[in-house]
Amino acid sequence: MHIYIQQKLQEAVRQTFPDASLTNVVVRPCPDPRFGDYQSNAIMGIAKERKLNPRQAATDVLAHLDVTDCCETPEIAGAGFLNFRVKPEALARAIAAPLEGAPLFFQPVAKPRTIVIDFSSPNVAKPMHIGHIRSTALGDALARLNRKLGHRVITDNHIGDWGTQFGLLTVGWKSQLDRASLETDALGEMERLYKSVTAAADADPGVREAARQELVKLQSGDPTNLEIWGRMIDLSQVQFDEIYGRLGVQFDHTLGESFYNPELKRVVQELVGKGIARESQGAVCVFSEGVLNPKEDPFLVQKDGEWSPNPALIQKADGAANYATTDLATLEYRWNTWQPDDVIYVTDGRQQLHFRQLFNAWQRWHPELREGMQLHHVWFGSITGDDGKPYKTRSGETVKLAGVLDEAQERAFAVASSKNPDLPEAQRREIARVVGVGAVKYADLSPNRQSDYVFSWDKMLSLQGNTAPYLQYAYARIRSVFRKAGAEAGLNPGLIQLRHADELGLAKRLVRFGLSMEAAASEHRPNYLCLYLYELAGDFARFYESCPVLKSEGAERNTRLVLCELTGRVLKEGLNLLGIEVLEQM
Ligand code: ARG
């Protein structure tokens, strides 16, 4: 709907001001429905550039604008806003379209982009903890959204499978491996080894030296150490895959850090050769280029009122490369392999400096790609307890993700069992799985990703408020309408008559689904889609309260069933884009 009005408006602007750029001529939902359904502030900008009276410019544009087939006469408001009010017949045609095979209130993009999304990326030999839900849920939602909009999406799990931790781990593996617990809980056993050897190394420099030697052996290709390392990766991957299976998350590629090892020496040499990096106290570092405003320069930091160097290490004094070097090699590989238009990294906010430095160093290394490949760090805040501190178990340990999913399902099972004691257990278990996993994901996706949020079982599992169970329940309720309507529920797209204010309100919300998808994708904020779905469910509840569906007849009944059907489709599709399943019955 807004796309049609927008196209018409662009056409009118082109006729009135042939030299005006049309990129800012956009139409958005009207913030206050009393003024209309859609609004554009584009004419004010155009008038300002030309030093014209904005209301006069708006009048001139309106003289060229014909939207009578879809809107009442547009109105000029305030300093030159254009307000549009959609006609009920046009709205009826718009909602009929998906029933006749059109996309569900969104338009696939005209120019698909190639988008690499780097997300989840846990470190090997450590169990995934609750924090991993953030990158995993956000990254997966962005992948689904962009794919749905028609982009070419490539997902890559950049797992941390290389690094100094393997020295300590190998010492532990060789000296105190408990094979039985390796069988039952490999990641738990590796975590135990790591903690135990770290403690030993803190107490005894000899252990630290042993770990260093094991690492050197691994790095120089010692077959035994390579085999142990390979086993640790394989065992970790099994457990990661189990969690990804439960979360319904898939990756196109899992190219861990080690994949880039063969390139690291050359990357360091190239950066040195181009003067981007230089030697400093035996190590090699990237320093400021000295062209940016110090405030924007990631290689400068303010100390005692002075700007001092804040270099990024890319080769340690012992010759080993690190996380930053690997990320440079990874970007080069991604460019060479996929020529992406965008690369999106989904990580914790604490990595902001790393990515600012990475992006800056990369652009100096490959200035010719500055425009061609856009780099985005999509960062997020932490999950906290009631005290505002990072969420921990009572004994102060990090909370394992598998345990969080188990508990969510157990709690959802208790609710499902008390609500539907007569359903077979297998069905209650399935409800619990879909609701439990959905609740954990939605609790993570619905707040602004950059703020911290408090982990709360009661809130995320509540059937009231902006939660997954509330939306899943709204969907299940709609399905039950159709079970009751039975065979008579055949929908007629040609017989839609929107009369009641709540029918109109719901229909107007439905046609905005695509706007919320676009906003969520372009700003990397799935919470926009969450909010839209929550508001949709609210509009539906209002409609369902005031407009009897099954007791109505003829065109009214058809219209209301169509509204139920489309609300169900949008809820299902919207939740699917967030990686959340729905149930026919709850
Ligand atoms: N493994 C890293 C961590 O756990 C995240 C990697 C993110 N991706 C990247 N290309 N640096 O912090």
Side-chain angles (χ1 to χ4, degrees), residues 266-491:
R266 178 188 51 80
V267 168
V268 173
Q269 275 161 13
E270 279 194 33
L271 290 173
V272 171
K274 295 203 164 176
I276 300 162
R278 62 181 144 86
E279 210 227 273
S280 164
Q281 295 164 0
V284 179
C285 298
V286 177
F287 286 88
S288 166
E289 194 183 14
V291 298
L292 288 178
N293 176 334
K295 280 201 186 103
E296 268 128 47
D297 192 327
F299 295 103
L300 292 179
V301 64
Q302 202 160 28
K303 261 191 222 142
D304 310 321
E306 300 254 339
W307 289 103
S308 355
N310 189 26
L313 188 67
I314 58 168
Q315 185 173 293
K316 293 185 228 157
D318 66 5
N322 66 3
Y323 188 54
T325 333
T326 306
D327 257 330
L328 284 161
T330 306
L331 256 176
E332 180 189 51
Y333 175 85
R334 288 177 177 162
W335 174 259
N336 290 339
T337 313
W338 300 302
Q339 288 88 47
D341 298 292
D342 299 277
V343 182
I344 296 174
Y345 297 86
V346 188
T347 84
D348 190 302
R350 283 169 298 189
Q351 295 197 33
Q352 283 176 85
L353 178 63
H354 166 74
F355 284 103
R356 287 174 57 224
Q357 293 187 327
L358 171 69
F359 297 173
N360 180 290
W362 165 262
Q363 281 166 354
R364 285 152 64 188
W365 184 18
H366 285 290
E368 75 284 5
L369 300 177
R370 204 175 271 255
E371 302 298 320
M373 182 166 69
Q374 305 288 314
L375 306 175
H376 314 264
H377 183 209
V378 171
W379 59 270
F380 48 81
S382 28
I383 306 179
T384 74
D386 289 329
D387 55 2
K389 302 213 179 91
Y391 187 59
K392 292 267 161 67
T393 63
R394 223 163 280 159
S395 56
E397 308 260 322
T398 49
V399 179
K400 304 216 165 97
L401 184 50
V404 170
L405 297 179
D406 291 345
E407 184 163 351
Q409 286 181 221
E410 275 318 310
R411 286 175 181 253
F413 182 70
V415 176
S417 298
S418 72
K419 281 185 87 108
N420 311 291
D422 304 330
L423 285 183
E425 172 164 353
Q427 195 177 347
R428 280 179 283 132
R429 289 270 167 220
E430 176 62 1
I431 295 175
R433 182 187 71 76
V434 171
V435 171
V437 174
V440 172
K441 283 192 181 182
Y442 195 88
D444 199 77
L445 293 168
S446 53
N448 170 351
R449 62 176 157 78
Q450 285 161 338
S451 12
D452 296 348
Y453 74 87
V454 179
F455 188 89
S456 159
W457 287 117
D458 291 340
K459 200 172 148 205
M460 76 174 75
L461 286 161
S462 169
L463 283 165
Q464 301 300 322
N466 192 7
T467 66
Y470 171 69
L471 298 175
Q472 290 168 322
Y473 189 71
Y475 177 80
R477 189 158 74 163
I478 292 171
R479 297 320 305 160
S480 87
V481 171
F482 283 93
R483 277 194 296 279
K484 288 186 199 130
E488 298 144 64
L491 304 172

Side-chain angles (χ1 to χ4, degrees), residues 2-3 6 27-28 105-109 145-146 149 151 512-525 528-529 577:
H2 79 283
I3 295 190
Q6 185 166 299
V27 169
R28 289 283 168 258
F105 308 122
F106 74 96
Q107 265 201 351
V109 288
L145 261 165
N146 281 299
L149 287 168
H151 297 292
R512 289 185 192 174
F513 179 41
L515 268 174
S516 77
M517 286 168 61
E518 283 160 26
S522 68
E523 292 187 38
H524 317 299
R525 293 187 186 278
Y528 293 169
L529 178 57
L577 293 174

